[in-house]
Amino acid sequence: MTPAHPAAAPGPGAAPAAGHTAPGPGGTSPETSGPETASPKTPGPETASPQAPGSAAANGTPAAPRAAGRPRGPRPARPWLGALPLLVFAGLCFGLPAGALLYGAVTRTDPVAGTTEFTGEHLSRSLQGPYLTSLTGSVQLAALTAALATVLGVLIAQAVVTSRRGALRGAVLTASGVLANFGGIPLAFAFVATLGISGVVTEIGHLDALGWNLYSFTGLTVIYLYFLVPLMVLVVVPALDGLRPQWREAALNTGATAWQFWRHVGLPVLAPSLLGGFVLLFGSAFAAHATAAALVGGSVPLVTLKIADALSGNVLVGQENVALALSLDMIVIAGLVMAVYLPLQRRSSRWLR
């Protein structure tokens, strides 16, 4: 057998063999390279590439820093675009009529010369004489019916909410939704046939002997309550559902009575909703026209009836601008009532979340 030849020793300047390293000082050799030894880094995305001839770096000019741009994505949506149809509708149906009403209330046109000038005569006339009486009568009727309907509606709604019968709740809410929208001439005819001079209930109960008169301020109040009370029930039921049972239990556990709970907890929390319901009922009664026109005519002074008479010329000719001034007075009164409601709503709405 031929003996194996020993490996030739590397000569001067020769590269070491693969897998071996040159001996270090003192004859000792470092650790042999293995899997954990760092290998030369291959050029990649992070490795600087040589600059092309004519570039800024090649010419010695420092390159301008690249602006860190955000990744392009979908353009942000504009929320007001969704409300644009509603804004256009409100501008056409409310803005233009309100502007025309305001312009007619403060201007006067000469029928001969055809010139138009600004004046405050119509506004001052709308606050004098029979016009002021009708405005006061409408405010009194609306305030009285709204207050009575608020109390009665809250009592009925509380009975519905505390009832354990779901059928009763559904029946009351359904009936309230129907009755709240039952008004105008059909409602007036129904009450004439029921509580009129020759009505069925009047004849059976002999109400005429007790001084009952449907065609009066009292009779109009009863008719307005017919559709205002169901409307209040619909408004206040969600607010009563928002009262947490834990509040009542905590009040009772601390020794408070039911009256103390409603006085210090329930009514303060429900105050914005109750006031909002009152404002809604006030506006509905204040602007009602068809029922009163069909029932009482001109026997009860109401601003809506005066506006209709002025526009149609039943009393005086050429009072159209006074009717517009009366309408502007109604808008101002409604705005004042809403100005009382909005601050209280922002203050106490957090309790019903």
Side-chain angles (χ1 to χ4, degrees):
M1 180 178 293
T2 304
H5 297 280
H20 298 276
T21 57
T28 60
S29 62
E31 297 179 1
T32 59
S33 59
E36 298 179 358
T37 305
S39 61
K41 189 174 184 181
T42 58
E46 299 179 358
T47 307
S49 60
Q51 301 294 333
S55 61
N59 297 334
T61 306
R66 180 178 298 178
R70 296 182 179 179
R72 293 185 178 181
R75 300 181 64 182
R78 297 187 175 100
W80 60 270
L81 288 178
L84 184 60
L86 178 61
L87 296 177
V88 173
F89 175 80
L92 293 177
C93 298
F94 297 98
L96 291 180
L101 185 148
L102 178 61
Y103 179 78
V106 297
T107 57
R108 177 178 55 189
T109 303
D110 191 351
V112 178
T115 58
T116 303
E117 59 181 359
F118 289 94
T119 179
E121 177 184 358
H122 309 307
L123 292 175
S124 61
R125 186 178 298 180
S126 66
L127 299 176
Q128 297 176 1
Y131 298 114
L132 180 60
T133 303
S134 63
L135 189 62
T136 305
S138 293
V139 171
Q140 291 176 352
L141 178 62
L144 177 62
T145 54
L148 293 177
T150 299
V151 176
L152 296 176
V154 169
L155 294 178
I156 296 175
Q158 176 63 16
V160 170
V161 170
T162 56
S163 177
R164 297 182 179 179
R165 299 180 180 178
L168 176 62
R169 179 189 178 104
V172 172
L173 293 181
T174 303
S176 299
V178 174
L179 298 178
N181 295 279
F182 184 69
I185 297 179
L187 180 61
F189 174 76
F191 269 88
V192 168
T194 305
L195 295 174
I197 296 177
S198 301
V200 177
V201 178
T202 303
E203 293 291 337
I204 295 177
H206 302 285
L207 299 180
D208 51 350
L210 302 177
W212 166 254
N213 182 15
L214 181 64
Y215 313 101
S216 62
F217 186 89
T218 304
L220 204 58
T221 301
V222 174
I223 294 178
Y224 278 26
L225 290 178
Y226 184 84
F227 62 87
L228 291 181
V229 172
L231 182 59
M232 187 62 191
V233 171
L234 296 177
V235 170
V236 80
V237 162
L240 290 174
D241 288 334
L243 284 178
R244 301 176 183 176
Q246 295 84 353
W247 296 346
R248 178 188 291 271
E249 295 174 359
L252 296 179
N253 290 336
T254 55
T257 61
W259 165 247
Q260 291 175 339
F261 166 76
W262 284 107
R263 179 182 177 184
H264 298 287
V265 180
L267 291 179
V269 172
L270 293 176
S273 300
L274 297 181
L275 187 56
F278 175 83
V279 170
L280 178 62
L281 301 184
F282 181 90
S284 300
F286 190 64
H289 170 259
T291 303
L295 188 67
V296 299
S299 59
V300 177
L302 296 177
V303 64
T304 54
L305 303 180
K306 286 294 182 183
I307 291 175
D309 292 340
L311 290 176
S312 60
N314 292 340
V315 181
L316 296 175
V317 180
Q319 298 298 312
E320 294 83 3
N321 289 359
V322 178
L324 298 179
L326 287 173
S327 302
L328 185 60
D329 295 338
M330 295 180 63
I331 294 176
V332 171
I333 293 175
L336 292 176
V337 175
M338 289 298 298
V340 176
Y341 164 66
L342 292 178
L344 292 177
Q345 184 189 32
R346 288 194 299 266
R347 180 179 179 182
S348 302
S349 59
R350 64 180 183 272
W351 294 107
L352 296 178
R353 291 178 182 176

